Amino acid sequence: MQPSMIPRLCVLSLFLVHAFSNAETITAPTPPPHEWRLPDHVPYPDGNEPTPQRVELGRMLYFDKRLSRDGTTSCASCHDPAQGWSDGLATSRGLDGKTLPRASPTIINAAYNTIQMWDGRKASLEDQAMGPMDSPDEMATDFDKLMALLGRDATYRAAFQAAYPDAPIDKLLIAKAIASFERTVVARNAPFDRWLAGDVTAMTLQQQRGFQIFVDPNTGNCAVCHRAPLFTDNGFHNIGLSSFGREGADPGRFAHKPIAVLKGAFKTPTLRNIAETAPYFHDGSAATLMDVVEHYARGGDVKTNLSPNLKTGPLTQQDKDDLVAFMQALSSPIPAPIAAASTRVSHLPVAGK
Amino acid sequence: MNVQATTQALPPSMMKTALYALTLMVLVMASTGDADAEDHVVTQSNMSFSATDLTVKVGDTVSFSNRDSMAHNVYSLSDAKTFDLGSSAPNTSKKVTLDQPGVVDVECALHPSMRMKIKVTQ
Ligand SMILES: [Cu+2]
């Protein structure tokens, strides 16, 4: 054998080894998919920089049931840290046990959303926070009573003064404080994040395979909508839920933008901490992550107005298991001070009792 | 316009001729209108439009060319032009004619962060 052949044979054998080992395992893609790293900077609007004082005030308000008309409901009732910042229900339960038409989305990383709500009807977190307080079914806040209470309460008075010196306490200020708190509910320490940062053992091989399927346009094709780095395109899609076939079906985004493709389209949700927020979809119709994957694998149920981007390739049972395993690698632990606060504040006395 | 009043007064044969003449006139007008109309190309790539602001003349067309690997939509609900191009698959292009002066806010319904403005001038 000629010496010049040796390097070539080496390359060939390396290639073969690689090709065969690939069948068993998928190594971390090179270069690392940097585009999936969550941006360090949490965006906030002019005039509402989330200072520690604002965050603390917002935390108090977020967990305070006295914000609701009857003292039963805080933001945390439906966006509970212990339930992945959602509520564990198919669709939310409002005041007087009323069943609401849609599921409570997690507020994890909602700070990064460029549009809020399943139908995108709110632009910012500030704008959003006033919604549940105004809604007769959610909190039905009695603002006269609430302002009186906040004005009487020395702790709140001091907290408002520290957060927004000399600003009159009103609805907007409450919303700004709550939004500041929400901007700290950020998940960036999941096995997936550690894997992205270079810890190759942070995700199991099955989870790494699941990620490959997730981004592969020919198989999972999930990342076309659950895009890097937020697992959402901040976009709206009809993914063929069976509820869309029922009479009087929720039109979703179409109610706000009457464009044909938006009939039955809802916002692509983040998949952060998704393993903790079952059941799934805006109507709570999928009980498990495997149910979700099966839904995509069969191309949806009602196919009359499917998003043109909904194209899941053929998936083997192994692929489906891998996708589920990958989604389980997206859970970050809840920051300890917030977890502790949620139990502490829920014992606050209720107004009028 | 009182076209109806005139045609009603004409005998059938003359009415036919009048209709032909009218059709011809419309065609000529339309084609002379086209003669200096321009086609502007806006590409959709990496989930954004290649232009955020575009100025065109009344009668011009804008072609939206999708260079992304995902489908997009193009629509406007503006007074100056209301249209919905449906969905455009990757590597396809769709065209709209701007026939009135004004400002047209263009968006992708699937991805509302994709937006641009077309200023249509006389
Ligand atoms: Cu788009």
Side-chain angles (χ1 to χ4, degrees):
Chain A
M1 188 161 54
Q2 286 176 11
S4 70
M5 285 289 287
I6 293 171
R8 286 194 219 173
L9 275 176
C10 283
V11 170
L12 182 73
S13 61
L14 265 178
F15 174 77
L16 284 177
V17 167
H18 187 72
F20 279 105
S21 61
N22 238 8
E24 298 300 324
T25 64
I26 293 180
T27 46
T30 37
H34 282 298
E35 74 272 19
W36 284 94
R37 289 197 187 170
L38 192 70
D40 292 334
H41 174 76
V42 180
Y44 59 87
D46 281 349
N48 199 25
E49 187 185 339
T51 61
Q53 295 81 1
R54 290 172 181 174
V55 171
E56 172 55 16
L57 172 62
R59 187 190 60 74
M60 290 165 67
L61 292 163
Y62 184 93
F63 290 103
D64 194 338
K65 294 180 172 174
R66 294 174 300 177
L67 261 62
S68 65
R69 183 197 67 208
D70 61 359
T72 60
T73 308
S74 69
C75 306
S77 304
C78 302
H79 305 282
D80 180 356
Q83 309 253 23
W85 300 85
S86 177
D87 60 8
L89 300 170
T91 66
S92 281
R93 199 174 305 123
L95 295 183
D96 305 325
K98 186 173 172 180
T99 300
L100 302 181
R102 294 179 183 159
S104 162
T106 183
I107 63 148
I108 290 174
N109 292 10
Y112 289 93
N113 291 348
T114 55
I115 193 161
Q116 306 288 349
M117 311 305 271
W118 284 112
D119 53 15
R121 67 184 184 275
K122 300 284 184 181
S124 67
L125 287 177
E126 280 78 0
D127 194 13
Q128 195 287 326
M130 291 189 269
M133 292 191 279
D134 284 333
S135 159
D137 295 332
E138 293 183 32
M139 294 170 84
T141 305
D142 178 338
F143 279 97
D144 292 338
K145 234 169 91 187
L146 179 62
M147 294 312 160
L149 183 139
L150 296 176
R152 266 201 318 272
D153 185 312
T155 316
Y156 265 121
R157 277 216 315 270
F160 269 102
Q161 181 58 23
Y164 299 98
D166 302 325
I169 300 178
D170 62 8
K171 201 183 191 176
L172 179 63
L173 210 60
I174 293 172
K176 284 170 87 170
I178 292 176
S180 301
F181 169 68
E182 290 177 286
R183 293 195 172 95
T184 65
V185 183
V186 170
R188 56 162 91 254
N189 190 23
F192 178 61
D193 299 290
R194 298 198 293 276
W195 177 74
L196 288 176
D199 176 358
V200 289
T201 62
M203 286 210 296
T204 65
L205 289 174
Q206 182 179 31
Q207 290 171 332
Q208 296 179 40
R209 272 198 311 265
F211 175 65
Q212 302 292 352
I213 296 161
F214 190 84
V215 297
D216 177 14
N218 299 314
T219 52
N221 192 33
C222 313
V224 67
C225 299
H226 297 282
R227 265 168 74 88
L230 306 176
F231 289 94
T232 173
D233 54 359
N234 281 295
F236 298 87
H237 304 274
N238 180 324
I239 61 162
L241 299 184
S242 61
S243 60
F244 184 58
R246 282 186 216 131
E247 215 177 290
D250 190 336
R253 178 75 169 157
F254 185 79
H256 303 277
K257 302 274 176 185
I259 301 300
V261 74
L262 295 179
K263 245 180 241 165
F266 292 83
K267 192 179 74 181
T268 311
T270 179
L271 300 180
R272 289 282 179 175
N273 289 55
I274 192 71
E276 296 165 24
T277 59
Y280 302 107
F281 297 138
H282 79 270
D283 59 359
S285 58
T288 64
L289 286 175
M290 188 50 91
D291 289 350
V292 170
V293 170
E294 292 286 1
H295 172 89
Y296 286 110
R298 63 179 179 269
D301 295 318
V302 174
K303 308 188 184 185
T304 48
N305 198 38
L306 286 181
S307 169
N309 289 323
L310 190 72
K311 288 191 189 117
T312 313
L315 297 176
T316 64
Q317 189 55 46
Q318 180 72 55
D319 293 343
K320 295 175 190 170
D321 291 339
D322 295 352
L323 273 172
V324 170
F326 167 62
M327 289 192 272
Q328 284 162 347
L330 297 178
S331 293
S332 302
I334 310 161
I338 294 176
S342 77
T343 40
R344 178 152 35 97
V345 182
S346 60
H347 296 304
L348 274 181
V350 154
K353 290 198 181 160
Chain B
M1 235 176 34
N2 56 355
V3 174
Q4 217 172 1
T6 353
T7 49
Q8 261 167 11
L10 294 173
S13 65
M14 276 186 76
M15 199 173 108
K16 234 182 179 169
T17 324
L19 269 177
Y20 277 131
L22 200 75
T23 317
L24 205 71
M25 250 168 66
V26 169
L27 277 177
V28 168
M29 270 166 60
S31 60
T32 48
D34 264 359
D36 42 80
E38 212 182 309
D39 185 43
H40 306 259
V41 177
V42 171
T43 59
Q44 294 140 295
S45 68
N46 205 8
M47 258 180 68
S48 54
F49 291 114
S50 56
T52 47
D53 285 281
L54 184 69
T55 305
V56 307
K57 287 221 155 61
V58 170
D60 283 2
T61 55
V62 178
S63 294
F64 293 92
S65 164
N66 184 1
R67 304 264 178 83
D68 257 341
S69 55
M70 68 190 83
H72 290 296
N73 157 275
V74 185
Y75 81 93
S76 177
L77 298 173
S78 299
D79 290 341
K81 183 81 186 180
T82 295
F83 68 94
D84 174 11
L85 298 184
S87 54
S88 341
N91 298 314
T92 63
S93 174
K94 287 191 173 177
K95 198 180 272 200
V96 63
T97 305
L98 287 315
D99 36 26
Q100 268 186 58
V103 174
V104 183
D105 292 305
V106 174
E107 230 178 78
C108 169
L110 299 171
H111 311 116
S113 56
M114 296 176 68
R115 46 177 71 205
M116 67 172 298
K117 265 186 202 315
I118 304 177
K119 208 172 145 199
V120 189
T121 59
Q122 281 293 356

